[in-house]
Amino acid sequence: METGLKLSIIVPTLNEAPNLGRTLAPLQPLRGRIEIIVVDGGSSDGTLRIAEELADKVLRSEPGRARQMNAGFEAATGRALLFLHADTLLPQDFHRQITRALTETASLWGRFDVRFDPSTPLLRLVAWMMNRRSCLTRICTGDQAIFVRSCVFRDFGRFADIPLMEDIELSRRLRYLTPPACIRSPVVTSSRRWIEKGTVRTILLMWRLRLLFWLGVSPERLARAYYPGRS
């Protein structure tokens, strides 16, 4: 096993001041072994101030998660990349587990199981279904903290510059290279959007959007349904 596989953690942000410090603070003891890159899409709160204290590199980009994560890759020096949402906490031994997954198995990419916080019986079921489905279909979501060898991400297309489903689209390409490494230790992600929008309503919306995406509906049209208040 490669010891201390250099890992670049790329965090896209947009007004994430309430969450970013909680996400990045546990990573500070690993600084030097990991590289933390925050790519901001135009925050108007204290996100940039927090990022400058806790990240190795802070970049500014046009808004759009795919665009921001691609910009982070351009600045990354790690042999592997981890794309992390600003409201998601990694398990304590994530670095060792990613190193093992990318060096002791045939997988060139992977993801973690996910757990929601705060949780409910329904959200526990949703997380279980997400985790099972991604291993069976080899399709992973950004909530699951996707990681990939840098050379693979460079050579096989990066994120498509689309406003929604960039994680699904990337998975569709990577799964033909190798199955994803499915790490059972969960990342803990905020359930705030599920609770605010209604859990059942969000489940039905995501099923509908993913079905339409698989049927060829444009991500731009899907984004208008997912973000109804945006132009």
Side-chain angles (χ1 to χ4, degrees):
M1 181 176 73
E2 295 180 39
T3 302
L5 181 68
K6 180 67 179 294
L7 180 67
S8 294
I9 301 177
I10 298 170
V11 186
T13 59
L14 181 61
N15 293 328
E16 290 287 355
N19 305 298
L20 188 61
R22 180 168 173 258
T23 295
L24 297 186
L27 307 181
Q28 299 307 298
L30 290 175
R31 296 277 290 274
R33 295 173 58 197
I34 64 171
E35 176 182 48
I36 303 171
I37 302 174
V38 171
V39 187
D40 190 71
S43 293
S44 57
D45 61 0
T47 296
L48 285 171
R49 176 184 55 78
I50 296 168
E52 287 165 357
E53 294 177 358
L54 299 176
D56 298 291
K57 297 176 183 177
V58 180
L59 310 176
R60 291 169 175 79
S61 164
E62 293 182 20
R65 185 171 281 164
R67 195 171 298 165
Q68 290 170 240
M69 292 188 291
N70 285 338
F73 163 69
E74 294 293 342
T77 61
R79 297 182 65 184
L81 311 168
L82 171 62
F83 298 100
L84 182 66
H85 288 183
D87 60 359
T88 300
L89 301 176
L90 291 164
Q92 187 172 9
D93 61 345
F94 73 92
H95 186 262
R96 178 184 62 82
Q97 294 207 58
I98 290 174
T99 298
R100 178 176 295 175
L102 294 180
T103 59
E104 295 186 356
T105 75
S107 295
L108 297 172
W109 67 295
R111 80 350 165 233
F112 291 82
D113 273 9
V114 68
R115 178 165 60 86
F116 292 105
D117 181 49
S119 192
T120 65
L122 182 53
L123 283 172
R124 285 193 289 273
L125 177 61
V126 169
W128 181 86
M129 291 175 63
M130 286 174 61
N131 297 332
R132 289 291 297 162
R133 183 196 67 231
S134 67
C135 283
L136 292 172
T137 64
R138 304 182 181 183
I139 295 293
C140 308
T141 67
D143 289 329
Q144 295 173 300
I146 294 172
F147 56 87
V148 59
R149 285 268 187 182
S150 298
C151 58
V152 172
F153 188 76
R154 180 190 64 234
D155 295 340
F156 287 87
R158 313 181 189 191
F159 285 104
D161 189 7
I162 53 180
L164 199 67
M165 302 291 177
E166 75 286 338
D167 46 1
I168 305 296
E169 194 279 335
L170 179 68
S171 296
R172 286 204 305 192
R173 286 181 281 128
L174 291 179
R175 68 176 180 166
Y176 291 110
L177 295 176
T178 68
C182 295
I183 297 178
R184 298 302 303 274
S185 300
V187 295
V188 179
T189 192
S190 171
S191 59
R192 55 182 174 155
R193 292 187 178 93
W194 293 77
I195 293 172
E196 288 171 1
K197 295 181 179 181
T199 302
V200 173
R201 180 182 177 188
T202 302
I203 292 169
L204 295 175
L205 174 63
M206 295 309 298
W207 281 355
R208 174 172 168 263
L209 293 178
R210 285 174 185 160
L211 175 61
L212 292 172
F213 181 69
W214 286 103
L215 292 175
V217 176
S218 73
E220 289 75 18
R221 181 177 170 186
L222 299 180
R224 288 194 292 271
Y226 188 68
Y227 303 111
R230 296 186 185 179
S231 57

